[in-house]
Amino acid sequence: GTILCREIGQVCPCLRIADIFRIKGFFLDQDKKWVELNATKDQIRFAPIGAGQDVVIVIGQDLVEENIDKYLS
């Protein structure tokens, strides 16, 4: 599901468990079209793309993978 807010620090209040620098990835939107996600603390950008792979990468410091997986699933 969609969990993004206006700032990367507010992606999910529970993700404040880590210092997130960037979130990048590709996913299918509600219309089953591929979207590229590129989020930093300064901006969040969604862009349609022709084809993709369902993957999201969270880049940061002191990340707790199991907690991030819980909120990105």
Side-chain angles (χ1 to χ4, degrees):
T2 302
I3 58 168
L4 293 174
C5 297
R6 291 177 190 246
E7 298 176 16
I8 194 168
Q10 297 175 344
V11 168
C12 175
C14 302
L15 287 182
R16 291 184 183 215
I17 56 169
D19 189 8
I20 298 172
F21 306 138
R22 177 178 295 261
I23 301 175
K24 296 184 78 160
F26 307 93
F27 59 92
L28 287 171
D29 68 9
Q30 295 174 348
D31 297 323
K32 303 292 183 193
K33 296 184 180 188
W34 285 105
V35 176
E36 176 184 15
L37 163 66
N38 190 359
T40 67
K41 66 177 185 165
D42 298 319
Q43 71 174 359
I44 296 176
R45 183 175 67 87
F46 294 92
I49 57 173
Q53 178 179 337
D54 196 18
V55 63
V56 175
I57 299 168
V58 179
I59 301 167
Q61 186 174 3
D62 300 324
L63 301 175
V64 180
E65 184 178 353
E66 60 194 42
N67 291 342
I68 292 170
D69 286 345
K70 178 180 175 181
Y71 293 101
L72 292 179
S73 298

